[in-house]
Amino acid sequence: MRIHTKLMLGIFILIILIGAFFELTFKNIIESNLKHEIGTKALSVAQTITNMPTIQDAFLEEDPASIIQPIAERIRKQVGAEFIVVGNRSEIRYSHPNPERLGQQMVGGDNGRVFKGEAVISESTGTLGPSLRGKAPIFTNDGKVIGVVSVGYLQTDIEKEVSRVRRKIFIITFIVLVGGLLSALLISLNIKRAMFGLEPKEIAWMYQEKHAILESIHEGIIAIDTAGRMTVVNDTAHKILQVPNEILLRGKRIDDFIENTQLLEVVRTGQAEYDREWMILGDLYLANRIPIFNNKKEVIGAVVSFRNKSELADLLQELSHIKAYAEGLRAQTHEYSNRLYTLLGLIQLGSYKDAIDFISKEVDFTQGFIEFLMKEIPDPIIAGFILGKVSLASELKINFTIDRESSFRDIPPGISRDSLVTIIGNIINNAFEAVRENEKEEKIVTLFLTDLGKELIIEIEDNGKGIKPAVSEEIFKAGFSTKNHNTNAGIGLNLVKKSLSDLNGSITFSSNPGEGTIFTVAIPKSGRMLHEGESRYRSVNH
């Protein structure tokens, strides 16, 4: 059974139970009140009659009934009583609605307390049937009880009045039931619409799913309502804010924990913001802020996702490595394809000796170069990367050489190979771009590596156009580039700068406009921090 059906049925049953309880309770209350009211009225009439001097004096006459009967009947009709019976101490009637019963014995047996001087309300059965009676004693001047006045109303009349009231209660209850049913239907439909037609189990599953998704995301996520109170805060956001998970942030104002969130501005304008820098506790984050809309397209809140900018830089660095590896493999494949075509042509021309010489030359060069790399640069990641760059340079018609005095054997385990690949690869890529833009016939790039002493030294020289003094202080900034044709420009040297920051290294460059540039990188093997105020990035322009 679906939730809205359960709700409608539950509310309807509840209203029926309330209606039944209402009718039963009010019936008893009304019946009790009505009996009390009629009994009190009967007793009041009886006491009034007993205090009438005419009635008291009539008891001294020879025929009291002739005086009392007309008075009693007149009062009975005025007050609407079923009977008014006046009797003496012997319970002989002096008045009765039926004149034939005058002089007869009173019936009911409830006069005992009255003859003791008490006024009572009782229920008893007389000649006219079950009745509710009010009885009062008649006193003489000296305080003796000489008779009794009994004013009664039949139980059947009381039950008729109760039935009349019950009918009204039933009509009211029925109207309430119908109204309750319609209300239950409207409530269930509204709840169904508010819950998008989902069942509680589905909502619970979606909540658990959303919680799992939020916790699986490495980005911090915070959602707020229109008043700026936080409604969702995942574990990553707790860690970034340095707030333990045990402290509930839900319901608290976001401005009390973070400054410059701009989320309330997003709520006000309804405009999303993407990739905006945001400083949190001294660290720089990239944030995306998006408004939350309801089904009426009204802004009901906003959500922000944010991630440490350095993590994105690491990801970009990894992608740069993958791209470099792919370029190296592509270049190497292309180069060997050219050589195979050369061999095929020599064989087809019958120049077998030239083909053998070509193969020997290539084998000697390749074998010698690989032996050199394996001996002087035993790290497979760096050696393989450099080998890929050699193939890429060959494809680009660039004379890329590794200084045979190079040695890169003593690389401490604590120095990240990925960082070294980022540093070497991006500077080589810049050198390749620089020599491709010059007009010299021979395009030369030279790499020198050494691990002698307390630092790792990387030196890359090219014969490109050089770096103009006016931009020498800008080249390490993100997005800055002198290569307008390259959509990825302005990233490489900035990645180099970040990698050197992690390794506590430094970089300098010397450039002669029109002649070339030399970049020199120094990375301490011990990880020693630079002295305060000492710059890692400087230029020496000639």
Side-chain angles (χ1 to χ4, degrees), residues 284-304:
L284 190 61
Y285 292 81
L286 282 182
N288 295 313
R289 303 179 181 92
I290 302 174
I292 303 172
F293 296 94
N294 61 12
N295 55 0
K296 297 180 180 179
K297 302 301 180 182
E298 298 171 338
V299 179
I300 58 174
V303 62
V304 59

Side-chain angles (χ1 to χ4, degrees), residues 296-314:
K296 297 180 180 179
K297 302 301 180 182
E298 298 171 338
V299 179
I300 58 174
V303 62
V304 59
S305 63
F306 49 99
R307 187 169 186 174
N308 197 305
K309 195 173 181 180
S310 63
E311 294 181 6
L312 297 176
D314 292 340

Side-chain angles (χ1 to χ4, degrees), residues 427 430 466-483 489-497 507-511 517-519 537-541:
I427 298 177
N430 271 13
I467 300 173
K468 298 178 180 179
V471 299
S472 61
E473 301 298 326
E474 306 291 327
I475 62 172
F476 293 103
K477 293 183 178 180
F480 177 82
S481 176
T482 59
K483 309 173 184 66
I491 298 176
L493 289 180
N494 184 255
L495 289 175
V496 171
K497 173 183 175 181
I507 182 171
T508 60
F509 66 90
S510 174
S511 183
T517 304
I518 300 175
F519 279 92
Y537 319 105
R538 62 184 186 273
S539 64
V540 181
N541 287 286

Side-chain angles (χ1 to χ4, degrees), residues 230-243:
M230 289 180 279
T231 57
V232 174
V233 184
N234 70 346
D235 284 350
T236 304
H238 271 273
K239 293 176 183 177
I240 292 174
L241 298 178
Q242 299 178 10
V243 176

